[in-house]
Structures are given as structure tokens and as C-alpha cells.
Amino acid sequence: MTSFDTSPQLSIWRALLALAVVFVMLATTGWTALRTHRESSALAASLTEWRHGHLHGLRLPDPDAAPARLARFFGSLTPGDRDRLARRYPLAVGNMNGAPVALRYRANHLALEQARRTERARMHDSRLSTAGQQDAGRRMHRYASLLGEGRQILAFDPEGSGRIAEVFGDLATARRVSVVVPGVDTDLLTFQRTSRPYSAPVGMAKALYAAERAARPSTRTAVIAWADYTSPDGLGVDAATGLRAEEGAVRLNALLRALPGRAPVSMFCHSYGSVLCGVAARDMPRRVADLAVAASPGMRAASAADLGTTARVWAMRDATDWVRDVPYLELGGLGHGADPVSSGFGARVLSARDAEGHSGYFEPGTDSLRNLADIGVGAYGEVTCAREDDACRSGLSGTPTAQRA
């Protein structure tokens, strides 16, 4: 007699039932409300002023023009004129793909100073509730931290829960560039944490930057902590759909197309960030050499080949990570598809045996971080595979296995 416990069909139906139950629970508890991020009023105002602005009697270029066009415009200006534009339109320049990165850092520093003054005033605004004043205080302190000496803020949008990106290293001269894409509950206030620092984007990026320098000291590297998208708020239906990933993918690819130089880029995408990277993969520029995901609930693709990228696709998951128990399927827009560490997906599966849980992949001293750093500096021969029969090192001297469709 056939055992129902070993029936593949029953396993599929159990997964579908589990997904349906989760949806019903979320719907009945009100968790299905999607967090929205309307276009920043301050950023929109700055962009509008730019569109109506002039320099020496000449109209300024469209801020949505191709990065190469904007790069040529800024390259034609004197240092004084570039600084003048940053002061007039700090948010516009600070978020403008094509503007020199050093100018974006300067513009965002100015925008952060303005935002800090605004929140300091709100802390003492009697029209706000106590909770509102406390929120203003938290934001004011976060802005003060971001204004610290040596911080390089590549993007900043204070509206709503906030969006931000920070660079570690010299992006303009780097020979290898890494981009860290985080998952749910990422915003201005969670961009950096004192407790469990390596579970937040700043800690992830700093740990990766240090590990890359240790792995290959002679290679100039830069790491971007990229939280310049509106992530899902918690593990609700928002996190079970691709809406935030689709919105974020547009923003991510806009940044990748505007990066200076021609250095290879490695993507490191954690949790829901791997969903975003999966959606973005097909349109990533060809300089993206590696796409590595950790703790992935799926990449909205049936296989690495279906991602449509020329990049090498890597995946890792620690045995203690709860994400292994999510239903790896997609039904009616819910769920993110196949398991990236499964043998059928076709990714190069890396060891992460000591990552400890869902957010330990960037902890210093772990196999997971060492593997990510080796990928970031191109030391592919040093990576540790998850299993002996895994072909994660195959073809590393030639063309990656996952090809653009």
C-alpha cells in the first residue's frame, strides 16, 4: 500500500494548503496592508526646482536623462559650479544617477543637515503627540550618525520610512564593486543597529568590506549598502508578493547602470533582497559578474537559467535558517518560486554551515562571510562548496552557466 507521507503530490498540496492558511491568517489579522512610499515631497520639490533651474542662463538637463548624458554635463562644469548645484538642489543631486559620486556624497551631506534641523524642531513641536516627538528624536539621532566623519551617502530620501545607500571604500577607483541588498523591515532607522549589527545593511557591508580586504589586500574594493527601496514591512503578504521587488528592481538597475568605471560588480542579496535581485537580474548590466543569494525565499524563477543573466548565480542557506520551511512555490502571485539551493535550480551552492539562523550570514569569522568575500574579490578557487557533489567551482575560468535569455 502506498504511503501518503511519501507522495510528492501530497507534499505539493500540503505546501499549497500552508500558503493558503498563511494568507487567510494574514488577511484576518490585518497584516495584508501594504506599506506605501509615495514619492518624497522634499525630493520631488528638489527635482521640480532642478527642472526649472538654470546655470549661467542655460537650462539644466533632465534629471531623468541617461547617466552618461548627466555625467557629461557635470564633467563640463567647474568645481565651483558643481558645488553650487549641490547647494541649490541637494536632494536632486544627491539621488541623481550620473552625477559624480563625490558630488552626491556632498549633496546628501547637505540634505541630511537640513533633515536633522527639521527633526530637531519637530522634537519640541507641541502639536505632535509624544510618540511623534519621540519618532522625530530617533530620526534626528540617525541623521546625526549618518553625518559622521567619513560617511559616504550615495542616496538619501527622508520621506516615509526613508531610503538610503552608503558606500564603503573608493567607488571611483575600485577594481571590484560589491552591492549588498537587504530584506524586510529595512529603512532609515534599521539601516544600522547597535544590537546584532551584522543583521543590518551597514553592518553587513562593513563586514563584507573588511573580509574582502583580508581575502585579497592588493585588490581595491568598494561595497555599497543599498537600502534605496521600500522593503516589505514585516512578514505579511507584502513580503510574499513581488510588488516591492519589482519597484526596487527598477531603482537597483538604475544605480548599477550609473556606477562609475568598468569594474566587475558582485551582488549579495539577503532574504527578500534575493527576490528583488531575481526580478532585477534580466536587466542588470553585463558588468554584474556574480549574483549571490543567502537565506532566499525564492527568486521568482524556476531555475538559475530562467533569471536571464550572464552572471554566475550562487546560493547559500544555513541548516538553522527558518526560511528553509517556507513553501518554495508561486501561486496566484504569492510565493517566490523554486528553492535556489535545491539541486534542480542550478545555482552554485556554497557552505554556510556556521551562519546560525536567518541573519547570521555576514557575521565575521563565518564560512558564509568568507565565501561571499571570496566571490567579491574574484577568488573563486577559494570558495567552499556546500556538498561534495556540488559543481559550484565548475567553469569558473570561462562563461558562467546561467546565460542571458
Side-chain angles (χ1 to χ4, degrees), residues 5-347:
D5 291 335
T6 59
S7 168
Q9 291 83 0
L10 186 57
S11 297
I12 293 173
W13 278 109
R14 281 177 174 167
L16 292 172
L17 179 60
L19 193 60
V21 169
V22 169
F23 177 78
V24 171
M25 289 176 63
L26 294 173
T28 56
T29 55
W31 289 4
T32 55
L34 300 183
R35 180 173 60 168
T36 60
H37 182 112
R38 63 184 183 278
E39 187 177 5
S40 165
S41 57
L43 176 55
S46 187
L47 288 169
T48 297
E49 291 173 0
W50 172 281
R51 288 187 174 97
H52 292 90
H54 295 77
L55 183 66
H56 303 309
L58 299 176
R59 292 283 302 272
L60 299 175
D62 184 345
D64 295 322
R69 163 74 177 89
L70 292 169
R72 288 193 297 271
F73 166 73
F74 283 106
S76 70
L77 303 178
T78 66
D81 283 341
R82 287 194 290 269
D83 187 66
R84 188 172 297 111
L85 291 176
R87 289 183 173 278
R88 287 180 186 172
Y89 319 103
L91 279 172
V93 174
N95 291 276
M96 194 174 294
N97 290 317
V101 291
L103 187 65
R104 291 180 67 167
Y105 301 157
R106 172 64 176 152
N108 283 318
H109 188 92
L110 295 170
L112 280 161
E113 287 180 331
Q114 293 178 358
R116 181 175 60 172
R117 288 194 295 269
T118 298
E119 297 303 328
R120 182 185 291 123
R122 292 180 70 244
M123 287 174 60
H124 307 288
D125 189 338
S126 59
R127 295 170 298 179
L128 294 180
S129 65
T130 300
Q133 292 174 337
Q134 291 174 342
D135 179 70
R138 286 191 293 270
R139 282 177 169 261
M140 192 274 289
H141 288 297
R142 175 44 46 86
Y143 296 153
S145 173
L146 293 169
L147 284 164
E149 185 178 357
R151 300 199 72 164
Q152 302 176 134
I153 306 304
L154 186 63
F156 169 58
D157 179 356
E159 184 67 9
S161 56
R163 297 189 295 227
I164 191 161
E166 183 173 8
V167 175
F168 300 90
D170 190 340
L171 188 58
T173 64
R175 300 294 299 272
R176 302 278 308 196
V177 176
S178 298
V179 183
V180 175
V181 182
V184 302
D185 289 328
T186 299
D187 54 31
L188 277 168
L189 295 180
T190 61
F191 186 59
Q192 184 172 1
R193 292 190 177 104
T194 301
S195 175
R196 297 171 59 243
Y198 304 111
S199 66
V202 168
M204 292 177 177
K206 289 177 73 172
L208 180 62
Y209 181 56
E212 287 182 349
R213 296 178 72 187
R216 189 167 285 180
S218 62
T219 300
R220 293 195 303 271
T221 64
V223 179
I224 303 172
W226 189 83
D228 194 23
Y229 82 108
T230 304
S231 74
D233 189 6
L235 297 178
V237 169
D238 203 4
T241 70
L243 175 62
R244 297 303 178 203
E246 292 165 3
E247 294 172 346
V250 175
R251 302 183 63 81
L252 178 59
N253 279 328
L255 169 75
L256 294 176
R257 287 191 288 269
L259 290 177
R262 297 184 178 182
V265 176
S266 296
M267 306 298 304
F268 299 100
C269 315
H270 178 255
S271 193
Y272 189 84
S274 69
V275 182
L276 191 160
C277 289
V279 173
R282 185 172 298 275
D283 294 322
M284 286 180 178
R286 295 182 69 88
R287 67 186 288 189
V288 174
D290 300 284
L291 178 53
V293 300
S296 177
M299 301 179 72
R300 302 192 76 80
S303 68
D306 287 341
L307 292 170
T309 177
T310 58
R312 299 178 180 91
V313 180
W314 309 82
M316 62 169 62
R317 186 177 66 218
D318 182 73
T320 63
D321 191 337
W322 57 259
V323 81
R324 65 184 299 180
D325 296 322
V326 305
Y328 280 96
L329 49 83
E330 189 277 328
L331 177 66
L334 290 176
H336 303 303
D339 183 355
V341 303
S342 65
S343 57
F345 190 80

Side-chain angles (χ1 to χ4, degrees), residues 375-400:
I375 292 169
V377 297
Y380 302 116
E382 302 301 317
V383 300
T384 305
C385 299
R387 46 186 180 260
E388 290 183 3
D389 63 341
D390 190 81
C392 69
R393 288 196 186 93
S394 65
L396 287 176
S397 60
T399 304

Side-chain angles (χ1 to χ4, degrees), residues 336-356:
H336 303 303
D339 183 355
V341 303
S342 65
S343 57
F345 190 80
R348 305 169 190 269
V349 183
L350 298 164
S351 171
R353 64 177 179 271
D354 53 357
E356 296 186 4

